[in-house]
Amino acid sequence: MTDAHQSFLDLLHAQRVWDVELPAFAPATAPPAPLPLFHRWFAEAVAAGQAEPHTMSLATTDTEGHPDVRTLMLHDADERGWHFATHRTSAKGRQLAARPYAALGFYWPAQGRQVRVRGPVTACTPAESRADLHARSTGALASALTGSQSEVLGSWEELTRTADAAWERARAEPDAEVASWTRYVVEAREVEFFQGDAARRHVRLRYRGRGTAWTRELLWP
């Protein structure tokens, strides 16, 4: 083992997990459907000072069945499901077109909590996608206008020129269209709530079903 590797391992093993007082979670008191509990846990994460609680991991698979994952922002969570947006021409957009099923993962270490969501994915209407884009910041519009997401970049200078032009257009045309921008919704079939415990008696509550018909079950940690 090299000194650099040993230094990495020493640093890795020195890290602490949940060095905070963790909240209790009584699964017997959980609501019959997952959405109200997600809304409550999200609000509690914000109140606990969790940084960027609206970020989540999105896992998809490519045409060969190989998994892929990245971090992006949640745009809504309602009776239809969990919403996000991207270019349909991006890697994740192409993967969802070929295999329209995904998993989401939220991690809120300020309270030792995770939420996992799995289900089929559908694209929202063009009108909803346009409204999604124009409800966001100028920077978000500029990023969308830059386009070419996941494509090979020739040089940093090319990105700088393209991004600068996109910012100028976003400021001048706040209603500019981006045809590839698409809002998606994960229609949950499984939602799991994980509450960490200092004694490693972690609580895992999984909802399975859809609509108003949900089955709740506890899982071994």
Side-chain angles (χ1 to χ4, degrees), residues 9 11 24 74-75 114 134 145 168-170 180 192 201 211:
L9 287 178
L11 183 63
L74 176 71
H75 287 205
Q114 299 179 58
H134 295 129
L145 287 167
E168 289 181 12
R169 185 181 175 195
S180 60
E192 181 189 325
R201 294 187 294 264

Side-chain angles (χ1 to χ4, degrees), residues 154-171:
S155 67
W156 180 256
E157 290 74 21
E158 181 183 359
L159 172 61
T160 300
R161 290 193 304 271
T162 305
D164 286 347
W167 269 95
E168 289 181 12
R169 185 181 175 195
R171 294 189 184 101

Side-chain angles (χ1 to χ4, degrees), residues 17-182:
V17 177
W18 305 326
D19 196 14
V20 295
E21 184 176 349
L22 300 177
F25 173 46
T29 65
L35 185 62
L37 184 56
F38 179 82
H39 286 166
R40 189 178 87 201
W41 274 28
F42 183 86
E44 290 174 355
V46 173
Q50 176 63 57
E52 300 183 352
H54 59 317
T55 57
M56 61 186 184
S57 298
L58 167 69
T60 55
T61 53
D62 63 20
T63 55
E64 297 180 342
H66 299 154
D68 205 350
V69 67
R70 73 288 288 165
T71 301
L72 71 172
M73 289 192 298
L74 176 71
H75 287 205
D76 196 2
D78 59 16
E79 296 298 336
R80 294 166 60 192
W82 277 251
H83 300 240
F84 64 93
T86 188
H87 294 280
R88 65 173 176 270
T89 53
S90 67
K92 53 187 172 294
R94 296 193 300 270
Q95 290 167 2
L96 289 169
R99 294 173 176 261
Y101 207 95
L104 305 175
F106 296 85
Y107 180 45
W108 299 321
Q111 294 189 300
R113 286 175 169 175
Q114 299 179 58
V115 181
R116 301 167 60 207
V117 181
R118 300 174 67 200
V121 180
T122 58
C124 296
T125 65
E128 288 178 291
S129 297
R130 287 193 297 271
D132 177 273
L133 178 62
H134 295 129
R136 304 181 69 204
S137 66
T138 301
L141 176 59
S143 178
L145 287 167
T146 300
S148 302
Q149 190 178 68
S150 304
E151 299 299 326
V152 176
L153 176 65
S155 67
W156 180 256
E157 290 74 21
E158 181 183 359
L159 172 61
T160 300
R161 290 193 304 271
T162 305
D164 286 347
W167 269 95
E168 289 181 12
R169 185 181 175 195
R171 294 189 184 101
E173 302 177 45
D175 295 326
E177 298 288 342
V178 181
S180 60
W181 189 257
T182 304

